[in-house]
Amino acid sequence: MNKKLVVVSAAWCSQCKVLKDQLTRNNIPYFVKDADTDFEYCQENGVKSLPTSFIYDGDEIVKVVVGNKYQEIKEALESV
């Protein structure tokens, strides 16, 4: 499995900052898509709320987590 985590966030989003701090503190690697500049990615993937996290296996999205739900993201990364 080739899993990766992509978090859609914005600089002004306080819950996005909290989630990114939790991921960083727990050494979970992730990529960031900025909701204010990555319009196409957000539109293609139906982002309606921040933060929205996408767990990929290769090029396929296998799980979407909406909101600051660190534990759910961690469990999904471990089980997917």
PDB file of all heavy atoms in Angstrom, residues 5-36 38 50-53 67-71 73:
ATOM      1  N   LEU A   5      -1.580  11.213   2.963  1.00  0.00           N
ATOM      2  CA  LEU A   5      -2.621  12.067   3.534  1.00  0.00           C
ATOM      3  C   LEU A   5      -2.500  13.455   2.928  1.00  0.00           C
ATOM      4  O   LEU A   5      -1.420  14.049   2.922  1.00  0.00           O
ATOM      5  CB  LEU A   5      -2.456  12.141   5.053  1.00  0.00           C
ATOM      6  CG  LEU A   5      -3.346  13.119   5.816  1.00  0.00           C
ATOM      7  CD1 LEU A   5      -4.822  12.757   5.658  1.00  0.00           C
ATOM      8  CD2 LEU A   5      -2.953  13.140   7.286  1.00  0.00           C
ATOM      9  N   VAL A   6      -3.634  13.958   2.423  1.00  0.00           N
ATOM     10  CA  VAL A   6      -3.696  15.321   1.888  1.00  0.00           C
ATOM     11  C   VAL A   6      -4.737  16.075   2.702  1.00  0.00           C
ATOM     12  O   VAL A   6      -5.882  15.620   2.836  1.00  0.00           O
ATOM     13  CB  VAL A   6      -4.079  15.330   0.390  1.00  0.00           C
ATOM     14  CG1 VAL A   6      -4.255  16.763  -0.102  1.00  0.00           C
ATOM     15  CG2 VAL A   6      -3.036  14.596  -0.432  1.00  0.00           C
ATOM     16  N   VAL A   7      -4.337  17.193   3.285  1.00  0.00           N
ATOM     17  CA  VAL A   7      -5.229  18.011   4.105  1.00  0.00           C
ATOM     18  C   VAL A   7      -5.518  19.313   3.369  1.00  0.00           C
ATOM     19  O   VAL A   7      -4.594  20.052   3.026  1.00  0.00           O
ATOM     20  CB  VAL A   7      -4.605  18.314   5.490  1.00  0.00           C
ATOM     21  CG1 VAL A   7      -5.526  19.193   6.307  1.00  0.00           C
ATOM     22  CG2 VAL A   7      -4.279  17.024   6.229  1.00  0.00           C
ATOM     23  N   VAL A   8      -6.803  19.563   3.132  1.00  0.00           N
ATOM     24  CA  VAL A   8      -7.216  20.835   2.523  1.00  0.00           C
ATOM     25  C   VAL A   8      -7.490  21.791   3.674  1.00  0.00           C
ATOM     26  O   VAL A   8      -8.308  21.498   4.561  1.00  0.00           O
ATOM     27  CB  VAL A   8      -8.461  20.663   1.639  1.00  0.00           C
ATOM     28  CG1 VAL A   8      -8.884  22.007   1.067  1.00  0.00           C
ATOM     29  CG2 VAL A   8      -8.199  19.657   0.525  1.00  0.00           C
ATOM     30  N   SER A   9      -6.800  22.917   3.666  1.00  0.00           N
ATOM     31  CA  SER A   9      -6.930  23.869   4.772  1.00  0.00           C
ATOM     32  C   SER A   9      -6.745  25.285   4.243  1.00  0.00           C
ATOM     33  O   SER A   9      -6.545  25.495   3.056  1.00  0.00           O
ATOM     34  CB  SER A   9      -5.888  23.563   5.849  1.00  0.00           C
ATOM     35  OG  SER A   9      -4.592  23.774   5.350  1.00  0.00           O
ATOM     36  N   ALA A  10      -6.825  26.241   5.159  1.00  0.00           N
ATOM     37  CA  ALA A  10      -6.592  27.646   4.832  1.00  0.00           C
ATOM     38  C   ALA A  10      -5.884  28.304   6.007  1.00  0.00           C
ATOM     39  O   ALA A  10      -6.072  27.892   7.161  1.00  0.00           O
ATOM     40  CB  ALA A  10      -7.917  28.356   4.546  1.00  0.00           C
ATOM     41  N   ALA A  11      -5.103  29.318   5.722  1.00  0.00           N
ATOM     42  CA  ALA A  11      -4.332  30.002   6.760  1.00  0.00           C
ATOM     43  C   ALA A  11      -5.227  30.614   7.833  1.00  0.00           C
ATOM     44  O   ALA A  11      -4.840  30.696   9.001  1.00  0.00           O
ATOM     45  CB  ALA A  11      -3.446  31.077   6.129  1.00  0.00           C
ATOM     46  N   TRP A  12      -6.438  31.010   7.480  1.00  0.00           N
ATOM     47  CA  TRP A  12      -7.347  31.679   8.412  1.00  0.00           C
ATOM     48  C   TRP A  12      -8.181  30.695   9.231  1.00  0.00           C
ATOM     49  O   TRP A  12      -8.922  31.093  10.130  1.00  0.00           O
ATOM     50  CB  TRP A  12      -8.279  32.619   7.648  1.00  0.00           C
ATOM     51  CG  TRP A  12      -8.907  31.989   6.439  1.00  0.00           C
ATOM     52  CD1 TRP A  12      -8.471  32.084   5.143  1.00  0.00           C
ATOM     53  CD2 TRP A  12     -10.059  31.142   6.407  1.00  0.00           C
ATOM     54  NE1 TRP A  12      -9.284  31.361   4.309  1.00  0.00           N
ATOM     55  CE2 TRP A  12     -10.266  30.767   5.058  1.00  0.00           C
ATOM     56  CE3 TRP A  12     -10.936  30.659   7.375  1.00  0.00           C
ATOM     57  CZ2 TRP A  12     -11.314  29.939   4.661  1.00  0.00           C
ATOM     58  CZ3 TRP A  12     -11.979  29.832   6.981  1.00  0.00           C
ATOM     59  CH2 TRP A  12     -12.156  29.479   5.636  1.00  0.00           C
ATOM     60  N   CYS A  13      -8.070  29.395   8.956  1.00  0.00           N
ATOM     61  CA  CYS A  13      -8.900  28.370   9.603  1.00  0.00           C
ATOM     62  C   CYS A  13      -8.242  27.867  10.886  1.00  0.00           C
ATOM     63  O   CYS A  13      -7.218  27.183  10.842  1.00  0.00           O
ATOM     64  CB  CYS A  13      -9.117  27.224   8.622  1.00  0.00           C
ATOM     65  SG  CYS A  13      -9.933  25.780   9.334  1.00  0.00           S
ATOM     66  N   SER A  14      -8.838  28.178  12.031  1.00  0.00           N
ATOM     67  CA  SER A  14      -8.234  27.788  13.312  1.00  0.00           C
ATOM     68  C   SER A  14      -8.230  26.273  13.510  1.00  0.00           C
ATOM     69  O   SER A  14      -7.267  25.711  14.040  1.00  0.00           O
ATOM     70  CB  SER A  14      -8.944  28.477  14.476  1.00  0.00           C
ATOM     71  OG  SER A  14     -10.302  28.078  14.534  1.00  0.00           O
ATOM     72  N   GLN A  15      -9.279  25.582  13.086  1.00  0.00           N
ATOM     73  CA  GLN A  15      -9.311  24.121  13.235  1.00  0.00           C
ATOM     74  C   GLN A  15      -8.288  23.438  12.324  1.00  0.00           C
ATOM     75  O   GLN A  15      -7.760  22.378  12.662  1.00  0.00           O
ATOM     76  CB  GLN A  15     -10.714  23.583  12.972  1.00  0.00           C
ATOM     77  CG  GLN A  15     -11.711  23.960  14.059  1.00  0.00           C
ATOM     78  CD  GLN A  15     -11.253  23.488  15.436  1.00  0.00           C
ATOM     79  OE1 GLN A  15     -10.946  22.319  15.645  1.00  0.00           O
ATOM     80  NE2 GLN A  15     -11.195  24.415  16.382  1.00  0.00           N
ATOM     81  N   CYS A  16      -7.997  24.057  11.201  1.00  0.00           N
ATOM     82  CA  CYS A  16      -6.960  23.543  10.305  1.00  0.00           C
ATOM     83  C   CYS A  16      -5.600  23.605  10.999  1.00  0.00           C
ATOM     84  O   CYS A  16      -4.810  22.658  10.925  1.00  0.00           O
ATOM     85  CB  CYS A  16      -6.907  24.347   9.009  1.00  0.00           C
ATOM     86  SG  CYS A  16      -8.426  24.290   8.041  1.00  0.00           S
ATOM     87  N   LYS A  17      -5.334  24.702  11.668  1.00  0.00           N
ATOM     88  CA  LYS A  17      -4.072  24.866  12.389  1.00  0.00           C
ATOM     89  C   LYS A  17      -3.944  23.825  13.483  1.00  0.00           C
ATOM     90  O   LYS A  17      -2.879  23.231  13.671  1.00  0.00           O
ATOM     91  CB  LYS A  17      -3.966  26.265  12.981  1.00  0.00           C
ATOM     92  CG  LYS A  17      -3.815  27.349  11.952  1.00  0.00           C
ATOM     93  CD  LYS A  17      -3.816  28.722  12.585  1.00  0.00           C
ATOM     94  CE  LYS A  17      -3.877  29.809  11.538  1.00  0.00           C
ATOM     95  NZ  LYS A  17      -4.009  31.139  12.107  1.00  0.00           N
ATOM     96  N   VAL A  18      -5.015  23.594  14.226  1.00  0.00           N
ATOM     97  CA  VAL A  18      -4.997  22.595  15.305  1.00  0.00           C
ATOM     98  C   VAL A  18      -4.699  21.214  14.730  1.00  0.00           C
ATOM     99  O   VAL A  18      -3.868  20.471  15.264  1.00  0.00           O
ATOM    100  CB  VAL A  18      -6.334  22.596  16.079  1.00  0.00           C
ATOM    101  CG1 VAL A  18      -6.403  21.430  17.046  1.00  0.00           C
ATOM    102  CG2 VAL A  18      -6.528  23.917  16.815  1.00  0.00           C
ATOM    103  N   LEU A  19      -5.384  20.844  13.646  1.00  0.00           N
ATOM    104  CA  LEU A  19      -5.169  19.533  13.042  1.00  0.00           C
ATOM    105  C   LEU A  19      -3.733  19.389  12.544  1.00  0.00           C
ATOM    106  O   LEU A  19      -3.083  18.367  12.805  1.00  0.00           O
ATOM    107  CB  LEU A  19      -6.150  19.301  11.890  1.00  0.00           C
ATOM    108  CG  LEU A  19      -5.975  17.984  11.138  1.00  0.00           C
ATOM    109  CD1 LEU A  19      -6.155  16.788  12.073  1.00  0.00           C
ATOM    110  CD2 LEU A  19      -6.938  17.901   9.970  1.00  0.00           C
ATOM    111  N   LYS A  20      -3.217  20.400  11.862  1.00  0.00           N
ATOM    112  CA  LYS A  20      -1.846  20.321  11.352  1.00  0.00           C
ATOM    113  C   LYS A  20      -0.849  20.211  12.506  1.00  0.00           C
ATOM    114  O   LYS A  20       0.129  19.471  12.399  1.00  0.00           O
ATOM    115  CB  LYS A  20      -1.534  21.498  10.439  1.00  0.00           C
ATOM    116  CG  LYS A  20      -2.291  21.412   9.122  1.00  0.00           C
ATOM    117  CD  LYS A  20      -1.804  22.381   8.067  1.00  0.00           C
ATOM    118  CE  LYS A  20      -2.180  23.788   8.354  1.00  0.00           C
ATOM    119  NZ  LYS A  20      -1.834  24.713   7.253  1.00  0.00           N
ATOM    120  N   ASP A  21      -1.087  20.907  13.610  1.00  0.00           N
ATOM    121  CA  ASP A  21      -0.220  20.790  14.786  1.00  0.00           C
ATOM    122  C   ASP A  21      -0.244  19.369  15.342  1.00  0.00           C
ATOM    123  O   ASP A  21       0.799  18.817  15.706  1.00  0.00           O
ATOM    124  CB  ASP A  21      -0.638  21.772  15.881  1.00  0.00           C
ATOM    125  CG  ASP A  21      -0.271  23.207  15.561  1.00  0.00           C
ATOM    126  OD1 ASP A  21       0.545  23.435  14.648  1.00  0.00           O
ATOM    127  OD2 ASP A  21      -0.815  24.114  16.234  1.00  0.00           O
ATOM    128  N   GLN A  22      -1.432  18.757  15.410  1.00  0.00           N
ATOM    129  CA  GLN A  22      -1.544  17.383  15.914  1.00  0.00           C
ATOM    130  C   GLN A  22      -0.807  16.404  15.005  1.00  0.00           C
ATOM    131  O   GLN A  22      -0.102  15.516  15.486  1.00  0.00           O
ATOM    132  CB  GLN A  22      -3.015  16.967  16.031  1.00  0.00           C
ATOM    133  CG  GLN A  22      -3.752  17.673  17.138  1.00  0.00           C
ATOM    134  CD  GLN A  22      -5.240  17.363  17.095  1.00  0.00           C
ATOM    135  OE1 GLN A  22      -5.865  17.411  16.042  1.00  0.00           O
ATOM    136  NE2 GLN A  22      -5.795  17.055  18.251  1.00  0.00           N
ATOM    137  N   LEU A  23      -0.966  16.555  13.706  1.00  0.00           N
ATOM    138  CA  LEU A  23      -0.291  15.670  12.763  1.00  0.00           C
ATOM    139  C   LEU A  23       1.221  15.824  12.870  1.00  0.00           C
ATOM    140  O   LEU A  23       1.952  14.824  12.902  1.00  0.00           O
ATOM    141  CB  LEU A  23      -0.757  15.972  11.338  1.00  0.00           C
ATOM    142  CG  LEU A  23      -2.224  15.654  11.026  1.00  0.00           C
ATOM    143  CD1 LEU A  23      -2.615  16.242   9.680  1.00  0.00           C
ATOM    144  CD2 LEU A  23      -2.491  14.165  11.078  1.00  0.00           C
ATOM    145  N   THR A  24       1.686  17.052  12.938  1.00  0.00           N
ATOM    146  CA  THR A  24       3.120  17.313  13.038  1.00  0.00           C
ATOM    147  C   THR A  24       3.690  16.774  14.351  1.00  0.00           C
ATOM    148  O   THR A  24       4.731  16.103  14.358  1.00  0.00           O
ATOM    149  CB  THR A  24       3.397  18.823  12.921  1.00  0.00           C
ATOM    150  OG1 THR A  24       2.904  19.277  11.661  1.00  0.00           O
ATOM    151  CG2 THR A  24       4.880  19.126  13.031  1.00  0.00           C
ATOM    152  N   ARG A  25       3.004  17.039  15.440  1.00  0.00           N
ATOM    153  CA  ARG A  25       3.448  16.588  16.760  1.00  0.00           C
ATOM    154  C   ARG A  25       3.555  15.060  16.830  1.00  0.00           C
ATOM    155  O   ARG A  25       4.422  14.517  17.517  1.00  0.00           O
ATOM    156  CB  ARG A  25       2.503  17.117  17.832  1.00  0.00           C
ATOM    157  CG  ARG A  25       2.933  16.842  19.250  1.00  0.00           C
ATOM    158  CD  ARG A  25       2.100  17.538  20.321  1.00  0.00           C
ATOM    159  NE  ARG A  25       0.665  17.451  20.123  1.00  0.00           N
ATOM    160  CZ  ARG A  25      -0.128  18.461  19.750  1.00  0.00           C
ATOM    161  NH1 ARG A  25       0.383  19.651  19.499  1.00  0.00           N
ATOM    162  NH2 ARG A  25      -1.429  18.303  19.603  1.00  0.00           N
ATOM    163  N   ASN A  26       2.700  14.364  16.104  1.00  0.00           N
ATOM    164  CA  ASN A  26       2.682  12.904  16.131  1.00  0.00           C
ATOM    165  C   ASN A  26       3.389  12.279  14.927  1.00  0.00           C
ATOM    166  O   ASN A  26       3.235  11.083  14.660  1.00  0.00           O
ATOM    167  CB  ASN A  26       1.239  12.412  16.225  1.00  0.00           C
ATOM    168  CG  ASN A  26       0.663  12.714  17.587  1.00  0.00           C
ATOM    169  OD1 ASN A  26       1.026  12.090  18.567  1.00  0.00           O
ATOM    170  ND2 ASN A  26      -0.212  13.709  17.665  1.00  0.00           N
ATOM    171  N   ASN A  27       4.182  13.100  14.230  1.00  0.00           N
ATOM    172  CA  ASN A  27       5.021  12.635  13.119  1.00  0.00           C
ATOM    173  C   ASN A  27       4.245  11.905  12.028  1.00  0.00           C
ATOM    174  O   ASN A  27       4.715  10.900  11.493  1.00  0.00           O
ATOM    175  CB  ASN A  27       6.155  11.746  13.647  1.00  0.00           C
ATOM    176  CG  ASN A  27       7.088  12.507  14.542  1.00  0.00           C
ATOM    177  OD1 ASN A  27       7.463  13.631  14.247  1.00  0.00           O
ATOM    178  ND2 ASN A  27       7.451  11.908  15.664  1.00  0.00           N
ATOM    179  N   ILE A  28       3.063  12.402  11.712  1.00  0.00           N
ATOM    180  CA  ILE A  28       2.279  11.847  10.620  1.00  0.00           C
ATOM    181  C   ILE A  28       2.519  12.724   9.395  1.00  0.00           C
ATOM    182  O   ILE A  28       2.157  13.901   9.394  1.00  0.00           O
ATOM    183  CB  ILE A  28       0.786  11.784  10.986  1.00  0.00           C
ATOM    184  CG1 ILE A  28       0.605  10.823  12.168  1.00  0.00           C
ATOM    185  CG2 ILE A  28      -0.045  11.353   9.772  1.00  0.00           C
ATOM    186  CD1 ILE A  28      -0.806  10.702  12.672  1.00  0.00           C
ATOM    187  N   PRO A  29       3.143  12.160   8.365  1.00  0.00           N
ATOM    188  CA  PRO A  29       3.419  12.962   7.171  1.00  0.00           C
ATOM    189  C   PRO A  29       2.133  13.296   6.423  1.00  0.00           C
ATOM    190  O   PRO A  29       1.208  12.483   6.352  1.00  0.00           O
ATOM    191  CB  PRO A  29       4.331  12.068   6.342  1.00  0.00           C
ATOM    192  CG  PRO A  29       4.101  10.690   6.841  1.00  0.00           C
ATOM    193  CD  PRO A  29       3.628  10.798   8.251  1.00  0.00           C
ATOM    194  N   TYR A  30       2.089  14.499   5.878  1.00  0.00           N
ATOM    195  CA  TYR A  30       0.909  14.928   5.132  1.00  0.00           C
ATOM    196  C   TYR A  30       1.296  16.005   4.128  1.00  0.00           C
ATOM    197  O   TYR A  30       2.330  16.643   4.243  1.00  0.00           O
ATOM    198  CB  TYR A  30      -0.183  15.446   6.068  1.00  0.00           C
ATOM    199  CG  TYR A  30       0.193  16.676   6.848  1.00  0.00           C
ATOM    200  CD1 TYR A  30      -0.157  17.945   6.401  1.00  0.00           C
ATOM    201  CD2 TYR A  30       0.913  16.584   8.034  1.00  0.00           C
ATOM    202  CE1 TYR A  30       0.192  19.076   7.114  1.00  0.00           C
ATOM    203  CE2 TYR A  30       1.267  17.714   8.754  1.00  0.00           C
ATOM    204  CZ  TYR A  30       0.904  18.952   8.295  1.00  0.00           C
ATOM    205  OH  TYR A  30       1.259  20.073   8.996  1.00  0.00           O
ATOM    206  N   PHE A  31       0.430  16.159   3.137  1.00  0.00           N
ATOM    207  CA  PHE A  31       0.563  17.211   2.139  1.00  0.00           C
ATOM    208  C   PHE A  31      -0.578  18.189   2.359  1.00  0.00           C
ATOM    209  O   PHE A  31      -1.648  17.805   2.820  1.00  0.00           O
ATOM    210  CB  PHE A  31       0.473  16.627   0.725  1.00  0.00           C
ATOM    211  CG  PHE A  31       1.545  15.619   0.430  1.00  0.00           C
ATOM    212  CD1 PHE A  31       1.341  14.278   0.695  1.00  0.00           C
ATOM    213  CD2 PHE A  31       2.757  16.019  -0.093  1.00  0.00           C
ATOM    214  CE1 PHE A  31       2.321  13.336   0.439  1.00  0.00           C
ATOM    215  CE2 PHE A  31       3.750  15.090  -0.355  1.00  0.00           C
ATOM    216  CZ  PHE A  31       3.531  13.742  -0.089  1.00  0.00           C
ATOM    217  N   VAL A  32      -0.360  19.448   2.023  1.00  0.00           N
ATOM    218  CA  VAL A  32      -1.380  20.483   2.220  1.00  0.00           C
ATOM    219  C   VAL A  32      -1.832  21.031   0.876  1.00  0.00           C
ATOM    220  O   VAL A  32      -1.010  21.324   0.008  1.00  0.00           O
ATOM    221  CB  VAL A  32      -0.837  21.638   3.091  1.00  0.00           C
ATOM    222  CG1 VAL A  32      -1.854  22.765   3.192  1.00  0.00           C
ATOM    223  CG2 VAL A  32      -0.452  21.141   4.466  1.00  0.00           C
ATOM    224  N   LYS A  33      -3.132  21.162   0.731  1.00  0.00           N
ATOM    225  CA  LYS A  33      -3.733  21.889  -0.385  1.00  0.00           C
ATOM    226  C   LYS A  33      -4.408  23.105   0.238  1.00  0.00           C
ATOM    227  O   LYS A  33      -5.197  22.971   1.180  1.00  0.00           O
ATOM    228  CB  LYS A  33      -4.776  21.050  -1.119  1.00  0.00           C
ATOM    229  CG  LYS A  33      -4.205  19.883  -1.864  1.00  0.00           C
ATOM    230  CD  LYS A  33      -3.484  20.338  -3.101  1.00  0.00           C
ATOM    231  CE  LYS A  33      -3.054  19.162  -3.946  1.00  0.00           C
ATOM    232  NZ  LYS A  33      -2.396  19.589  -5.166  1.00  0.00           N
ATOM    233  N   ASP A  34      -4.092  24.288  -0.258  1.00  0.00           N
ATOM    234  CA  ASP A  34      -4.647  25.526   0.269  1.00  0.00           C
ATOM    235  C   ASP A  34      -5.988  25.806  -0.394  1.00  0.00           C
ATOM    236  O   ASP A  34      -6.065  25.959  -1.610  1.00  0.00           O
ATOM    237  CB  ASP A  34      -3.673  26.673   0.012  1.00  0.00           C
ATOM    238  CG  ASP A  34      -4.085  27.960   0.696  1.00  0.00           C
ATOM    239  OD1 ASP A  34      -5.295  28.298   0.674  1.00  0.00           O
ATOM    240  OD2 ASP A  34      -3.215  28.635   1.256  1.00  0.00           O
ATOM    241  N   ALA A  35      -7.038  25.859   0.406  1.00  0.00           N
ATOM    242  CA  ALA A  35      -8.393  26.070  -0.119  1.00  0.00           C
ATOM    243  C   ALA A  35      -8.522  27.408  -0.843  1.00  0.00           C
ATOM    244  O   ALA A  35      -9.376  27.562  -1.715  1.00  0.00           O
ATOM    245  CB  ALA A  35      -9.408  25.982   1.013  1.00  0.00           C
ATOM    246  N   ASP A  36      -7.683  28.367  -0.496  1.00  0.00           N
ATOM    247  CA  ASP A  36      -7.757  29.693  -1.113  1.00  0.00           C
ATOM    248  C   ASP A  36      -7.052  29.763  -2.464  1.00  0.00           C
ATOM    249  O   ASP A  36      -7.301  30.693  -3.235  1.00  0.00           O
ATOM    250  CB  ASP A  36      -7.167  30.746  -0.177  1.00  0.00           C
ATOM    251  CG  ASP A  36      -8.023  30.960   1.064  1.00  0.00           C
ATOM    252  OD1 ASP A  36      -9.261  30.848   0.955  1.00  0.00           O
ATOM    253  OD2 ASP A  36      -7.454  31.226   2.134  1.00  0.00           O
ATOM    254  N   ASP A  38      -5.912  26.475  -4.282  1.00  0.00           N
ATOM    255  CA  ASP A  38      -6.058  25.222  -5.031  1.00  0.00           C
ATOM    256  C   ASP A  38      -7.529  24.955  -5.344  1.00  0.00           C
ATOM    257  O   ASP A  38      -8.091  23.916  -4.996  1.00  0.00           O
ATOM    258  CB  ASP A  38      -5.458  24.051  -4.235  1.00  0.00           C
ATOM    259  CG  ASP A  38      -3.949  24.151  -4.117  1.00  0.00           C
ATOM    260  OD1 ASP A  38      -3.298  24.473  -5.126  1.00  0.00           O
ATOM    261  OD2 ASP A  38      -3.423  23.911  -3.014  1.00  0.00           O
ATOM    262  N   LEU A  50     -13.794  22.978   5.989  1.00  0.00           N
ATOM    263  CA  LEU A  50     -12.375  22.889   6.343  1.00  0.00           C
ATOM    264  C   LEU A  50     -12.208  22.516   7.797  1.00  0.00           C
ATOM    265  O   LEU A  50     -13.011  22.940   8.615  1.00  0.00           O
ATOM    266  CB  LEU A  50     -11.678  24.227   6.079  1.00  0.00           C
ATOM    267  CG  LEU A  50     -11.656  24.698   4.639  1.00  0.00           C
ATOM    268  CD1 LEU A  50     -10.965  26.046   4.553  1.00  0.00           C
ATOM    269  CD2 LEU A  50     -10.987  23.702   3.725  1.00  0.00           C
ATOM    270  N   PRO A  51     -11.182  21.754   8.089  1.00  0.00           N
ATOM    271  CA  PRO A  51     -10.316  21.032   7.172  1.00  0.00           C
ATOM    272  C   PRO A  51     -11.022  19.796   6.594  1.00  0.00           C
ATOM    273  O   PRO A  51     -11.919  19.237   7.220  1.00  0.00           O
ATOM    274  CB  PRO A  51      -9.146  20.604   8.050  1.00  0.00           C
ATOM    275  CG  PRO A  51      -9.720  20.478   9.427  1.00  0.00           C
ATOM    276  CD  PRO A  51     -10.808  21.522   9.503  1.00  0.00           C
ATOM    277  N   THR A  52     -10.611  19.410   5.404  1.00  0.00           N
ATOM    278  CA  THR A  52     -11.040  18.148   4.803  1.00  0.00           C
ATOM    279  C   THR A  52      -9.779  17.360   4.484  1.00  0.00           C
ATOM    280  O   THR A  52      -8.868  17.886   3.852  1.00  0.00           O
ATOM    281  CB  THR A  52     -11.863  18.372   3.523  1.00  0.00           C
ATOM    282  OG1 THR A  52     -13.053  19.084   3.852  1.00  0.00           O
ATOM    283  CG2 THR A  52     -12.246  17.044   2.873  1.00  0.00           C
ATOM    284  N   SER A  53      -9.748  16.114   4.949  1.00  0.00           N
ATOM    285  CA  SER A  53      -8.568  15.272   4.764  1.00  0.00           C
ATOM    286  C   SER A  53      -8.893  14.115   3.831  1.00  0.00           C
ATOM    287  O   SER A  53      -9.941  13.472   3.970  1.00  0.00           O
ATOM    288  CB  SER A  53      -8.104  14.724   6.117  1.00  0.00           C
ATOM    289  OG  SER A  53      -7.809  15.789   6.989  1.00  0.00           O
ATOM    290  N   GLY A  67     -13.476  17.794   8.898  1.00  0.00           N
ATOM    291  CA  GLY A  67     -13.364  18.373  10.234  1.00  0.00           C
ATOM    292  C   GLY A  67     -12.053  18.013  10.904  1.00  0.00           C
ATOM    293  O   GLY A  67     -11.238  17.256  10.381  1.00  0.00           O
ATOM    294  N   ASN A  68     -11.875  18.558  12.080  1.00  0.00           N
ATOM    295  CA  ASN A  68     -10.674  18.324  12.875  1.00  0.00           C
ATOM    296  C   ASN A  68     -10.875  17.028  13.652  1.00  0.00           C
ATOM    297  O   ASN A  68     -11.249  17.041  14.823  1.00  0.00           O
ATOM    298  CB  ASN A  68     -10.420  19.503  13.813  1.00  0.00           C
ATOM    299  CG  ASN A  68      -9.206  19.277  14.684  1.00  0.00           C
ATOM    300  OD1 ASN A  68      -8.437  18.353  14.463  1.00  0.00           O
ATOM    301  ND2 ASN A  68      -9.039  20.118  15.683  1.00  0.00           N
ATOM    302  N   LYS A  69     -10.634  15.906  12.984  1.00  0.00           N
ATOM    303  CA  LYS A  69     -10.849  14.579  13.583  1.00  0.00           C
ATOM    304  C   LYS A  69      -9.554  13.788  13.505  1.00  0.00           C
ATOM    305  O   LYS A  69      -9.451  12.800  12.780  1.00  0.00           O
ATOM    306  CB  LYS A  69     -11.993  13.875  12.871  1.00  0.00           C
ATOM    307  CG  LYS A  69     -13.302  14.624  13.001  1.00  0.00           C
ATOM    308  CD  LYS A  69     -14.398  13.934  12.244  1.00  0.00           C
ATOM    309  CE  LYS A  69     -15.683  14.755  12.341  1.00  0.00           C
ATOM    310  NZ  LYS A  69     -16.688  14.262  11.393  1.00  0.00           N
ATOM    311  N   TYR A  70      -8.587  14.216  14.295  1.00  0.00           N
ATOM    312  CA  TYR A  70      -7.261  13.602  14.268  1.00  0.00           C
ATOM    313  C   TYR A  70      -7.326  12.097  14.496  1.00  0.00           C
ATOM    314  O   TYR A  70      -6.704  11.322  13.750  1.00  0.00           O
ATOM    315  CB  TYR A  70      -6.341  14.259  15.308  1.00  0.00           C
ATOM    316  CG  TYR A  70      -5.091  13.466  15.528  1.00  0.00           C
ATOM    317  CD1 TYR A  70      -4.066  13.509  14.595  1.00  0.00           C
ATOM    318  CD2 TYR A  70      -4.955  12.636  16.625  1.00  0.00           C
ATOM    319  CE1 TYR A  70      -2.920  12.754  14.766  1.00  0.00           C
ATOM    320  CE2 TYR A  70      -3.819  11.871  16.801  1.00  0.00           C
ATOM    321  CZ  TYR A  70      -2.809  11.929  15.868  1.00  0.00           C
ATOM    322  OH  TYR A  70      -1.684  11.164  16.027  1.00  0.00           O
ATOM    323  N   GLN A  71      -8.050  11.665  15.493  1.00  0.00           N
ATOM    324  CA  GLN A  71      -8.089  10.239  15.833  1.00  0.00           C
ATOM    325  C   GLN A  71      -8.651   9.409  14.684  1.00  0.00           C
ATOM    326  O   GLN A  71      -8.137   8.345  14.367  1.00  0.00           O
ATOM    327  CB  GLN A  71      -8.900  10.005  17.109  1.00  0.00           C
ATOM    328  CG  GLN A  71      -8.729   8.614  17.689  1.00  0.00           C
ATOM    329  CD  GLN A  71      -7.298   8.320  18.116  1.00  0.00           C
ATOM    330  OE1 GLN A  71      -6.581   9.194  18.620  1.00  0.00           O
ATOM    331  NE2 GLN A  71      -6.862   7.097  17.910  1.00  0.00           N
ATOM    332  N   ILE A  73      -8.536  10.164  11.515  1.00  0.00           N
ATOM    333  CA  ILE A  73      -7.521  10.166  10.452  1.00  0.00           C
ATOM    334  C   ILE A  73      -6.427   9.152  10.785  1.00  0.00           C
ATOM    335  O   ILE A  73      -6.040   8.349   9.939  1.00  0.00           O
ATOM    336  CB  ILE A  73      -6.914  11.564  10.268  1.00  0.00           C
ATOM    337  CG1 ILE A  73      -7.979  12.526   9.728  1.00  0.00           C
ATOM    338  CG2 ILE A  73      -5.691  11.535   9.368  1.00  0.00           C
ATOM    339  CD1 ILE A  73      -7.604  13.990   9.809  1.00  0.00           C
TER     340      ILE A  73
END
